[in-house]
PDB file of all heavy atoms in Angstrom:
ATOM      1  N   GLY A   1       5.075   4.022 -13.092  1.00  0.00           N
ATOM      2  CA  GLY A   1       5.336   5.482 -13.062  1.00  0.00           C
ATOM      3  C   GLY A   1       4.211   6.451 -12.454  1.00  0.00           C
ATOM      4  O   GLY A   1       4.455   7.432 -12.053  1.00  0.00           O
ATOM      5  N   ASN A   2       3.127   5.816 -12.293  1.00  0.00           N
ATOM      6  CA  ASN A   2       1.954   6.501 -11.642  1.00  0.00           C
ATOM      7  C   ASN A   2       1.330   5.770 -10.654  1.00  0.00           C
ATOM      8  O   ASN A   2       1.100   4.584 -10.697  1.00  0.00           O
ATOM      9  CB  ASN A   2       0.863   6.911 -12.744  1.00  0.00           C
ATOM     10  CG  ASN A   2       1.390   7.780 -13.790  1.00  0.00           C
ATOM     11  OD1 ASN A   2       1.702   9.056 -13.521  1.00  0.00           O
ATOM     12  ND2 ASN A   2       1.615   7.293 -14.973  1.00  0.00           N
ATOM     13  N   THR A   3       1.077   6.399  -9.469  1.00  0.00           N
ATOM     14  CA  THR A   3       0.421   5.835  -8.345  1.00  0.00           C
ATOM     15  C   THR A   3      -0.714   6.684  -7.771  1.00  0.00           C
ATOM     16  O   THR A   3      -0.723   7.834  -8.002  1.00  0.00           O
ATOM     17  CB  THR A   3       1.479   5.465  -7.168  1.00  0.00           C
ATOM     18  OG1 THR A   3       2.004   6.720  -6.732  1.00  0.00           O
ATOM     19  CG2 THR A   3       2.528   4.520  -7.629  1.00  0.00           C
ATOM     20  N   ASN A   4      -1.572   5.928  -7.025  1.00  0.00           N
ATOM     21  CA  ASN A   4      -2.696   6.694  -6.432  1.00  0.00           C
ATOM     22  C   ASN A   4      -2.936   6.089  -5.080  1.00  0.00           C
ATOM     23  O   ASN A   4      -2.748   4.888  -4.933  1.00  0.00           O
ATOM     24  CB  ASN A   4      -3.946   6.636  -7.288  1.00  0.00           C
ATOM     25  CG  ASN A   4      -5.146   7.440  -6.699  1.00  0.00           C
ATOM     26  OD1 ASN A   4      -5.124   8.626  -6.682  1.00  0.00           O
ATOM     27  ND2 ASN A   4      -6.066   6.659  -6.158  1.00  0.00           N
ATOM     28  N   TYR A   5      -3.338   6.952  -4.132  1.00  0.00           N
ATOM     29  CA  TYR A   5      -3.580   6.543  -2.786  1.00  0.00           C
ATOM     30  C   TYR A   5      -4.892   7.113  -2.259  1.00  0.00           C
ATOM     31  O   TYR A   5      -5.239   8.269  -2.503  1.00  0.00           O
ATOM     32  CB  TYR A   5      -2.491   6.870  -1.757  1.00  0.00           C
ATOM     33  CG  TYR A   5      -1.161   6.218  -2.136  1.00  0.00           C
ATOM     34  CD1 TYR A   5      -0.187   6.930  -2.890  1.00  0.00           C
ATOM     35  CD2 TYR A   5      -0.835   4.946  -1.656  1.00  0.00           C
ATOM     36  CE1 TYR A   5       1.013   6.315  -3.214  1.00  0.00           C
ATOM     37  CE2 TYR A   5       0.428   4.431  -1.823  1.00  0.00           C
ATOM     38  CZ  TYR A   5       1.300   5.093  -2.720  1.00  0.00           C
ATOM     39  OH  TYR A   5       2.493   4.535  -3.056  1.00  0.00           O
ATOM     40  N   ALA A   6      -5.625   6.307  -1.503  1.00  0.00           N
ATOM     41  CA  ALA A   6      -6.827   6.907  -0.883  1.00  0.00           C
ATOM     42  C   ALA A   6      -6.285   7.835   0.248  1.00  0.00           C
ATOM     43  O   ALA A   6      -5.227   7.651   0.824  1.00  0.00           O
ATOM     44  CB  ALA A   6      -7.594   5.747  -0.114  1.00  0.00           C
ATOM     45  N   ASP A   7      -7.159   8.885   0.386  1.00  0.00           N
ATOM     46  CA  ASP A   7      -6.756   9.845   1.457  1.00  0.00           C
ATOM     47  C   ASP A   7      -6.511   9.256   2.826  1.00  0.00           C
ATOM     48  O   ASP A   7      -5.503   9.700   3.516  1.00  0.00           O
ATOM     49  CB  ASP A   7      -7.914  10.878   1.569  1.00  0.00           C
ATOM     50  CG  ASP A   7      -7.957  11.767   0.371  1.00  0.00           C
ATOM     51  OD1 ASP A   7      -6.990  11.884  -0.457  1.00  0.00           O
ATOM     52  OD2 ASP A   7      -8.986  12.458   0.293  1.00  0.00           O
ATOM     53  N   SER A   8      -7.223   8.240   3.164  1.00  0.00           N
ATOM     54  CA  SER A   8      -6.969   7.608   4.527  1.00  0.00           C
ATOM     55  C   SER A   8      -5.713   6.925   4.704  1.00  0.00           C
ATOM     56  O   SER A   8      -5.350   6.605   5.848  1.00  0.00           O
ATOM     57  CB  SER A   8      -8.213   6.630   4.760  1.00  0.00           C
ATOM     58  OG  SER A   8      -8.164   5.532   3.755  1.00  0.00           O
ATOM     59  N   VAL A   9      -4.876   6.625   3.675  1.00  0.00           N
ATOM     60  CA  VAL A   9      -3.719   5.903   3.758  1.00  0.00           C
ATOM     61  C   VAL A   9      -2.438   6.673   3.252  1.00  0.00           C
ATOM     62  O   VAL A   9      -1.315   6.170   3.386  1.00  0.00           O
ATOM     63  CB  VAL A   9      -3.726   4.496   3.055  1.00  0.00           C
ATOM     64  CG1 VAL A   9      -4.862   3.736   3.512  1.00  0.00           C
ATOM     65  CG2 VAL A   9      -3.672   4.727   1.460  1.00  0.00           C
ATOM     66  N   LYS A  10      -2.682   7.949   2.767  1.00  0.00           N
ATOM     67  CA  LYS A  10      -1.497   8.800   2.216  1.00  0.00           C
ATOM     68  C   LYS A  10      -0.574   8.956   3.332  1.00  0.00           C
ATOM     69  O   LYS A  10      -1.013   9.303   4.448  1.00  0.00           O
ATOM     70  CB  LYS A  10      -2.072   9.999   1.646  1.00  0.00           C
ATOM     71  CG  LYS A  10      -2.802   9.925   0.258  1.00  0.00           C
ATOM     72  CD  LYS A  10      -3.138  11.303  -0.255  1.00  0.00           C
ATOM     73  CE  LYS A  10      -3.800  11.162  -1.630  1.00  0.00           C
ATOM     74  NZ  LYS A  10      -4.377  12.423  -2.144  1.00  0.00           N
ATOM     75  N   GLY A  11       0.715   8.821   2.923  1.00  0.00           N
ATOM     76  CA  GLY A  11       1.672   9.009   3.939  1.00  0.00           C
ATOM     77  C   GLY A  11       1.997   7.782   4.789  1.00  0.00           C
ATOM     78  O   GLY A  11       3.029   7.819   5.546  1.00  0.00           O
ATOM     79  N   ARG A  12       1.204   6.860   4.765  1.00  0.00           N
ATOM     80  CA  ARG A  12       1.404   5.595   5.614  1.00  0.00           C
ATOM     81  C   ARG A  12       1.656   4.300   4.686  1.00  0.00           C
ATOM     82  O   ARG A  12       2.389   3.463   5.160  1.00  0.00           O
ATOM     83  CB  ARG A  12       0.191   5.344   6.518  1.00  0.00           C
ATOM     84  CG  ARG A  12      -0.126   6.544   7.474  1.00  0.00           C
ATOM     85  CD  ARG A  12      -1.205   6.137   8.427  1.00  0.00           C
ATOM     86  NE  ARG A  12      -2.533   5.862   7.855  1.00  0.00           N
ATOM     87  CZ  ARG A  12      -3.143   4.605   7.947  1.00  0.00           C
ATOM     88  NH1 ARG A  12      -2.642   3.656   8.553  1.00  0.00           N
ATOM     89  NH2 ARG A  12      -4.353   4.362   7.404  1.00  0.00           N
ATOM     90  N   PHE A  13       0.948   4.266   3.552  1.00  0.00           N
ATOM     91  CA  PHE A  13       1.099   3.098   2.700  1.00  0.00           C
ATOM     92  C   PHE A  13       1.959   3.480   1.474  1.00  0.00           C
ATOM     93  O   PHE A  13       1.859   4.626   0.939  1.00  0.00           O
ATOM     94  CB  PHE A  13      -0.284   2.670   2.287  1.00  0.00           C
ATOM     95  CG  PHE A  13      -1.191   2.046   3.330  1.00  0.00           C
ATOM     96  CD1 PHE A  13      -0.751   2.083   4.675  1.00  0.00           C
ATOM     97  CD2 PHE A  13      -2.308   1.358   2.987  1.00  0.00           C
ATOM     98  CE1 PHE A  13      -1.571   1.579   5.665  1.00  0.00           C
ATOM     99  CE2 PHE A  13      -3.147   0.753   3.935  1.00  0.00           C
ATOM    100  CZ  PHE A  13      -2.765   0.880   5.304  1.00  0.00           C
ATOM    101  N   THR A  14       2.655   2.454   0.965  1.00  0.00           N
ATOM    102  CA  THR A  14       3.369   2.728  -0.233  1.00  0.00           C
ATOM    103  C   THR A  14       3.239   1.501  -1.204  1.00  0.00           C
ATOM    104  O   THR A  14       3.459   0.324  -0.730  1.00  0.00           O
ATOM    105  CB  THR A  14       4.896   2.914   0.020  1.00  0.00           C
ATOM    106  OG1 THR A  14       5.179   3.989   0.901  1.00  0.00           O
ATOM    107  CG2 THR A  14       5.680   3.105  -1.272  1.00  0.00           C
ATOM    108  N   ILE A  15       2.867   1.722  -2.412  1.00  0.00           N
ATOM    109  CA  ILE A  15       2.732   0.726  -3.307  1.00  0.00           C
ATOM    110  C   ILE A  15       3.863   0.714  -4.288  1.00  0.00           C
ATOM    111  O   ILE A  15       4.473   1.671  -4.648  1.00  0.00           O
ATOM    112  CB  ILE A  15       1.352   0.883  -4.153  1.00  0.00           C
ATOM    113  CG1 ILE A  15       1.029  -0.320  -5.069  1.00  0.00           C
ATOM    114  CG2 ILE A  15       1.424   2.136  -5.101  1.00  0.00           C
ATOM    115  CD1 ILE A  15      -0.315  -0.394  -5.700  1.00  0.00           C
ATOM    116  N   SER A  16       4.334  -0.467  -4.681  1.00  0.00           N
ATOM    117  CA  SER A  16       5.492  -0.523  -5.516  1.00  0.00           C
ATOM    118  C   SER A  16       5.322  -2.013  -6.354  1.00  0.00           C
ATOM    119  O   SER A  16       4.563  -2.856  -5.934  1.00  0.00           O
ATOM    120  CB  SER A  16       6.795  -0.562  -4.797  1.00  0.00           C
ATOM    121  OG  SER A  16       6.828  -1.755  -3.915  1.00  0.00           O
ATOM    122  N   ARG A  17       6.153  -2.009  -7.413  1.00  0.00           N
ATOM    123  CA  ARG A  17       6.110  -3.210  -8.192  1.00  0.00           C
ATOM    124  C   ARG A  17       7.437  -3.629  -8.598  1.00  0.00           C
ATOM    125  O   ARG A  17       8.200  -2.745  -8.881  1.00  0.00           O
ATOM    126  CB  ARG A  17       5.129  -3.100  -9.448  1.00  0.00           C
ATOM    127  CG  ARG A  17       5.483  -1.997 -10.375  1.00  0.00           C
ATOM    128  CD  ARG A  17       4.311  -1.794 -11.358  1.00  0.00           C
ATOM    129  NE  ARG A  17       3.989  -2.965 -12.142  1.00  0.00           N
ATOM    130  CZ  ARG A  17       2.779  -3.131 -12.720  1.00  0.00           C
ATOM    131  NH1 ARG A  17       1.840  -2.327 -12.574  1.00  0.00           N
ATOM    132  NH2 ARG A  17       2.637  -4.354 -13.453  1.00  0.00           N
ATOM    133  N   ASP A  18       7.611  -5.002  -8.787  1.00  0.00           N
ATOM    134  CA  ASP A  18       8.838  -5.580  -9.232  1.00  0.00           C
ATOM    135  C   ASP A  18       8.457  -6.546 -10.340  1.00  0.00           C
ATOM    136  O   ASP A  18       8.143  -7.662 -10.173  1.00  0.00           O
ATOM    137  CB  ASP A  18       9.631  -6.298  -8.122  1.00  0.00           C
ATOM    138  CG  ASP A  18      10.947  -6.874  -8.589  1.00  0.00           C
ATOM    139  OD1 ASP A  18      11.234  -6.979  -9.831  1.00  0.00           O
ATOM    140  OD2 ASP A  18      11.836  -7.093  -7.749  1.00  0.00           O
ATOM    141  N   ASN A  19       8.435  -5.889 -11.586  1.00  0.00           N
ATOM    142  CA  ASN A  19       8.025  -6.749 -12.735  1.00  0.00           C
ATOM    143  C   ASN A  19       8.868  -7.991 -12.908  1.00  0.00           C
ATOM    144  O   ASN A  19       8.355  -8.887 -13.465  1.00  0.00           O
ATOM    145  CB  ASN A  19       7.899  -5.757 -13.961  1.00  0.00           C
ATOM    146  CG  ASN A  19       6.780  -4.722 -13.850  1.00  0.00           C
ATOM    147  OD1 ASN A  19       5.814  -4.950 -13.113  1.00  0.00           O
ATOM    148  ND2 ASN A  19       6.806  -3.847 -14.729  1.00  0.00           N
ATOM    149  N   ALA A  20      10.086  -7.943 -12.569  1.00  0.00           N
ATOM    150  CA  ALA A  20      10.942  -9.103 -12.797  1.00  0.00           C
ATOM    151  C   ALA A  20      10.519 -10.224 -11.877  1.00  0.00           C
ATOM    152  O   ALA A  20      10.793 -11.435 -12.340  1.00  0.00           O
ATOM    153  CB  ALA A  20      12.339  -8.716 -12.575  1.00  0.00           C
ATOM    154  N   LYS A  21       9.951  -9.906 -10.837  1.00  0.00           N
ATOM    155  CA  LYS A  21       9.465 -10.878  -9.886  1.00  0.00           C
ATOM    156  C   LYS A  21       8.018 -11.153  -9.918  1.00  0.00           C
ATOM    157  O   LYS A  21       7.415 -11.867  -9.192  1.00  0.00           O
ATOM    158  CB  LYS A  21       9.844 -10.580  -8.489  1.00  0.00           C
ATOM    159  CG  LYS A  21      11.249 -10.586  -8.160  1.00  0.00           C
ATOM    160  CD  LYS A  21      11.632 -10.135  -6.667  1.00  0.00           C
ATOM    161  CE  LYS A  21      13.109 -10.215  -6.444  1.00  0.00           C
ATOM    162  NZ  LYS A  21      13.412  -9.944  -4.991  1.00  0.00           N
ATOM    163  N   ASN A  22       7.304 -10.482 -10.895  1.00  0.00           N
ATOM    164  CA  ASN A  22       5.818 -10.605 -11.133  1.00  0.00           C
ATOM    165  C   ASN A  22       5.161 -10.275  -9.792  1.00  0.00           C
ATOM    166  O   ASN A  22       4.161 -10.971  -9.467  1.00  0.00           O
ATOM    167  CB  ASN A  22       5.546 -12.010 -11.664  1.00  0.00           C
ATOM    168  CG  ASN A  22       5.465 -11.979 -13.117  1.00  0.00           C
ATOM    169  OD1 ASN A  22       5.932 -11.096 -13.825  1.00  0.00           O
ATOM    170  ND2 ASN A  22       4.994 -13.143 -13.634  1.00  0.00           N
ATOM    171  N   THR A  23       5.628  -9.294  -8.994  1.00  0.00           N
ATOM    172  CA  THR A  23       4.989  -9.083  -7.705  1.00  0.00           C
ATOM    173  C   THR A  23       4.732  -7.525  -7.514  1.00  0.00           C
ATOM    174  O   THR A  23       5.630  -6.707  -7.931  1.00  0.00           O
ATOM    175  CB  THR A  23       5.944  -9.555  -6.643  1.00  0.00           C
ATOM    176  OG1 THR A  23       6.298 -10.917  -6.766  1.00  0.00           O
ATOM    177  CG2 THR A  23       5.393  -9.396  -5.185  1.00  0.00           C
ATOM    178  N   VAL A  24       3.601  -7.255  -6.907  1.00  0.00           N
ATOM    179  CA  VAL A  24       3.351  -5.871  -6.445  1.00  0.00           C
ATOM    180  C   VAL A  24       3.198  -5.888  -5.031  1.00  0.00           C
ATOM    181  O   VAL A  24       2.604  -6.846  -4.399  1.00  0.00           O
ATOM    182  CB  VAL A  24       2.010  -5.438  -7.077  1.00  0.00           C
ATOM    183  CG1 VAL A  24       1.570  -4.031  -6.510  1.00  0.00           C
ATOM    184  CG2 VAL A  24       2.093  -5.313  -8.588  1.00  0.00           C
ATOM    185  N   TYR A  25       3.872  -4.912  -4.355  1.00  0.00           N
ATOM    186  CA  TYR A  25       3.780  -4.756  -2.835  1.00  0.00           C
ATOM    187  C   TYR A  25       2.949  -3.690  -2.336  1.00  0.00           C
ATOM    188  O   TYR A  25       2.716  -2.661  -2.991  1.00  0.00           O
ATOM    189  CB  TYR A  25       5.243  -4.559  -2.488  1.00  0.00           C
ATOM    190  CG  TYR A  25       6.175  -5.687  -2.783  1.00  0.00           C
ATOM    191  CD1 TYR A  25       7.094  -5.408  -3.945  1.00  0.00           C
ATOM    192  CD2 TYR A  25       6.275  -6.870  -2.195  1.00  0.00           C
ATOM    193  CE1 TYR A  25       7.978  -6.331  -4.348  1.00  0.00           C
ATOM    194  CE2 TYR A  25       7.120  -7.858  -2.654  1.00  0.00           C
ATOM    195  CZ  TYR A  25       7.978  -7.552  -3.775  1.00  0.00           C
ATOM    196  OH  TYR A  25       8.841  -8.646  -4.255  1.00  0.00           O
ATOM    197  N   LEU A  26       2.386  -3.781  -1.268  1.00  0.00           N
ATOM    198  CA  LEU A  26       1.792  -2.755  -0.423  1.00  0.00           C
ATOM    199  C   LEU A  26       2.483  -2.657   0.988  1.00  0.00           C
ATOM    200  O   LEU A  26       2.177  -3.485   1.826  1.00  0.00           O
ATOM    201  CB  LEU A  26       0.367  -2.893  -0.238  1.00  0.00           C
ATOM    202  CG  LEU A  26      -0.497  -1.714   0.289  1.00  0.00           C
ATOM    203  CD1 LEU A  26      -0.391  -0.499  -0.595  1.00  0.00           C
ATOM    204  CD2 LEU A  26      -1.915  -2.057   0.592  1.00  0.00           C
ATOM    205  N   GLN A  27       3.353  -1.749   1.179  1.00  0.00           N
ATOM    206  CA  GLN A  27       3.965  -1.517   2.409  1.00  0.00           C
ATOM    207  C   GLN A  27       3.105  -0.602   3.293  1.00  0.00           C
ATOM    208  O   GLN A  27       2.651   0.416   2.891  1.00  0.00           O
ATOM    209  CB  GLN A  27       5.301  -0.845   2.198  1.00  0.00           C
ATOM    210  CG  GLN A  27       6.033  -0.462   3.567  1.00  0.00           C
ATOM    211  CD  GLN A  27       6.464  -1.793   4.311  1.00  0.00           C
ATOM    212  OE1 GLN A  27       6.909  -2.720   3.718  1.00  0.00           O
ATOM    213  NE2 GLN A  27       6.245  -1.755   5.628  1.00  0.00           N
ATOM    214  N   MET A  28       2.659  -1.177   4.428  1.00  0.00           N
ATOM    215  CA  MET A  28       1.787  -0.490   5.313  1.00  0.00           C
ATOM    216  C   MET A  28       2.418  -0.183   6.581  1.00  0.00           C
ATOM    217  O   MET A  28       2.691  -1.039   7.329  1.00  0.00           O
ATOM    218  CB  MET A  28       0.459  -1.409   5.445  1.00  0.00           C
ATOM    219  CG  MET A  28      -0.225  -1.805   4.184  1.00  0.00           C
ATOM    220  SD  MET A  28      -1.766  -2.640   4.434  1.00  0.00           S
ATOM    221  CE  MET A  28      -1.231  -4.117   5.368  1.00  0.00           C
ATOM    222  N   ASN A  29       2.505   1.104   6.911  1.00  0.00           N
ATOM    223  CA  ASN A  29       3.138   1.469   8.172  1.00  0.00           C
ATOM    224  C   ASN A  29       2.174   2.314   8.978  1.00  0.00           C
ATOM    225  O   ASN A  29       1.071   2.708   8.541  1.00  0.00           O
ATOM    226  CB  ASN A  29       4.329   2.484   7.845  1.00  0.00           C
ATOM    227  CG  ASN A  29       5.417   1.741   7.100  1.00  0.00           C
ATOM    228  OD1 ASN A  29       5.584   0.576   7.173  1.00  0.00           O
ATOM    229  ND2 ASN A  29       6.150   2.547   6.242  1.00  0.00           N
ATOM    230  N   SER A  30       2.541   2.493  10.285  1.00  0.00           N
ATOM    231  CA  SER A  30       1.638   3.233  11.145  1.00  0.00           C
ATOM    232  C   SER A  30       0.163   2.734  11.090  1.00  0.00           C
ATOM    233  O   SER A  30      -0.789   3.576  11.004  1.00  0.00           O
ATOM    234  CB  SER A  30       1.669   4.715  10.912  1.00  0.00           C
ATOM    235  OG  SER A  30       2.981   5.190  10.980  1.00  0.00           O
ATOM    236  N   LEU A  31       0.042   1.410  11.173  1.00  0.00           N
ATOM    237  CA  LEU A  31      -1.392   0.856  11.007  1.00  0.00           C
ATOM    238  C   LEU A  31      -2.259   1.205  12.163  1.00  0.00           C
ATOM    239  O   LEU A  31      -1.864   1.354  13.289  1.00  0.00           O
ATOM    240  CB  LEU A  31      -1.233  -0.603  10.918  1.00  0.00           C
ATOM    241  CG  LEU A  31      -0.787  -1.114   9.514  1.00  0.00           C
ATOM    242  CD1 LEU A  31      -0.245  -2.642   9.581  1.00  0.00           C
ATOM    243  CD2 LEU A  31      -1.813  -1.063   8.571  1.00  0.00           C
ATOM    244  N   LYS A  32      -3.572   1.424  11.750  1.00  0.00           N
ATOM    245  CA  LYS A  32      -4.578   1.775  12.732  1.00  0.00           C
ATOM    246  C   LYS A  32      -5.650   0.711  12.675  1.00  0.00           C
ATOM    247  O   LYS A  32      -5.931  -0.146  11.712  1.00  0.00           O
ATOM    248  CB  LYS A  32      -5.214   3.126  12.182  1.00  0.00           C
ATOM    249  CG  LYS A  32      -4.234   4.236  12.011  1.00  0.00           C
ATOM    250  CD  LYS A  32      -4.949   5.527  11.440  1.00  0.00           C
ATOM    251  CE  LYS A  32      -3.925   6.577  11.182  1.00  0.00           C
ATOM    252  NZ  LYS A  32      -4.635   7.821  10.738  1.00  0.00           N
ATOM    253  N   PRO A  33      -6.405   0.684  13.779  1.00  0.00           N
ATOM    254  CA  PRO A  33      -7.522  -0.361  13.798  1.00  0.00           C
ATOM    255  C   PRO A  33      -8.571  -0.237  12.731  1.00  0.00           C
ATOM    256  O   PRO A  33      -9.041  -1.256  12.200  1.00  0.00           O
ATOM    257  CB  PRO A  33      -8.272   0.042  15.166  1.00  0.00           C
ATOM    258  CG  PRO A  33      -7.165   0.510  16.005  1.00  0.00           C
ATOM    259  CD  PRO A  33      -6.286   1.367  15.083  1.00  0.00           C
ATOM    260  N   GLU A  34      -8.699   1.028  12.178  1.00  0.00           N
ATOM    261  CA  GLU A  34      -9.599   1.143  11.046  1.00  0.00           C
ATOM    262  C   GLU A  34      -8.987   0.629   9.694  1.00  0.00           C
ATOM    263  O   GLU A  34      -9.736   0.622   8.786  1.00  0.00           O
ATOM    264  CB  GLU A  34     -10.036   2.618  10.859  1.00  0.00           C
ATOM    265  CG  GLU A  34      -8.914   3.570  10.848  1.00  0.00           C
ATOM    266  CD  GLU A  34      -8.594   4.185  12.244  1.00  0.00           C
ATOM    267  OE1 GLU A  34      -8.658   3.503  13.262  1.00  0.00           O
ATOM    268  OE2 GLU A  34      -8.428   5.468  12.256  1.00  0.00           O
ATOM    269  N   ASP A  35      -7.817   0.203   9.644  1.00  0.00           N
ATOM    270  CA  ASP A  35      -7.213  -0.408   8.551  1.00  0.00           C
ATOM    271  C   ASP A  35      -7.609  -2.009   8.452  1.00  0.00           C
ATOM    272  O   ASP A  35      -7.246  -2.622   7.510  1.00  0.00           O
ATOM    273  CB  ASP A  35      -5.683  -0.263   8.459  1.00  0.00           C
ATOM    274  CG  ASP A  35      -5.206   1.124   8.362  1.00  0.00           C
ATOM    275  OD1 ASP A  35      -5.819   1.849   7.544  1.00  0.00           O
ATOM    276  OD2 ASP A  35      -4.278   1.528   9.021  1.00  0.00           O
ATOM    277  N   THR A  36      -8.179  -2.363   9.487  1.00  0.00           N
ATOM    278  CA  THR A  36      -8.600  -3.762   9.524  1.00  0.00           C
ATOM    279  C   THR A  36      -9.609  -4.115   8.427  1.00  0.00           C
ATOM    280  O   THR A  36     -10.655  -3.532   8.243  1.00  0.00           O
ATOM    281  CB  THR A  36      -9.210  -4.151  10.919  1.00  0.00           C
ATOM    282  OG1 THR A  36      -8.283  -4.069  11.908  1.00  0.00           O
ATOM    283  CG2 THR A  36      -9.806  -5.571  10.896  1.00  0.00           C
ATOM    284  N   ALA A  37      -9.258  -5.216   7.646  1.00  0.00           N
ATOM    285  CA  ALA A  37     -10.067  -5.523   6.364  1.00  0.00           C
ATOM    286  C   ALA A  37      -9.353  -6.686   5.714  1.00  0.00           C
ATOM    287  O   ALA A  37      -8.240  -7.065   6.011  1.00  0.00           O
ATOM    288  CB  ALA A  37     -10.096  -4.333   5.484  1.00  0.00           C
ATOM    289  N   VAL A  38     -10.217  -7.173   4.818  1.00  0.00           N
ATOM    290  CA  VAL A  38      -9.546  -8.067   3.864  1.00  0.00           C
ATOM    291  C   VAL A  38      -9.014  -7.342   2.704  1.00  0.00           C
ATOM    292  O   VAL A  38      -9.804  -6.490   2.147  1.00  0.00           O
ATOM    293  CB  VAL A  38     -10.559  -9.139   3.332  1.00  0.00           C
ATOM    294  CG1 VAL A  38      -9.911 -10.217   2.398  1.00  0.00           C
ATOM    295  CG2 VAL A  38     -11.166  -9.975   4.541  1.00  0.00           C
ATOM    296  N   TYR A  39      -7.745  -7.589   2.415  1.00  0.00           N
ATOM    297  CA  TYR A  39      -7.112  -6.839   1.266  1.00  0.00           C
ATOM    298  C   TYR A  39      -6.997  -7.659   0.117  1.00  0.00           C
ATOM    299  O   TYR A  39      -6.635  -8.801   0.124  1.00  0.00           O
ATOM    300  CB  TYR A  39      -5.781  -6.384   1.780  1.00  0.00           C
ATOM    301  CG  TYR A  39      -5.765  -5.121   2.719  1.00  0.00           C
ATOM    302  CD1 TYR A  39      -6.349  -5.261   4.114  1.00  0.00           C
ATOM    303  CD2 TYR A  39      -5.451  -3.907   2.310  1.00  0.00           C
ATOM    304  CE1 TYR A  39      -6.322  -4.285   4.855  1.00  0.00           C
ATOM    305  CE2 TYR A  39      -5.413  -2.850   3.100  1.00  0.00           C
ATOM    306  CZ  TYR A  39      -5.867  -2.980   4.429  1.00  0.00           C
ATOM    307  OH  TYR A  39      -5.998  -1.919   5.312  1.00  0.00           O
TER     308      TYR A  39
END
């Protein structure tokens, strides 16, 4: 019910969870070179 985003990813990334599948997702759109990292 509550989510938080870093300012640098607001409007581009979306976090969600499917508890039935024991999985959390991070949808990342409009990716930029500065998003390069180990997640």
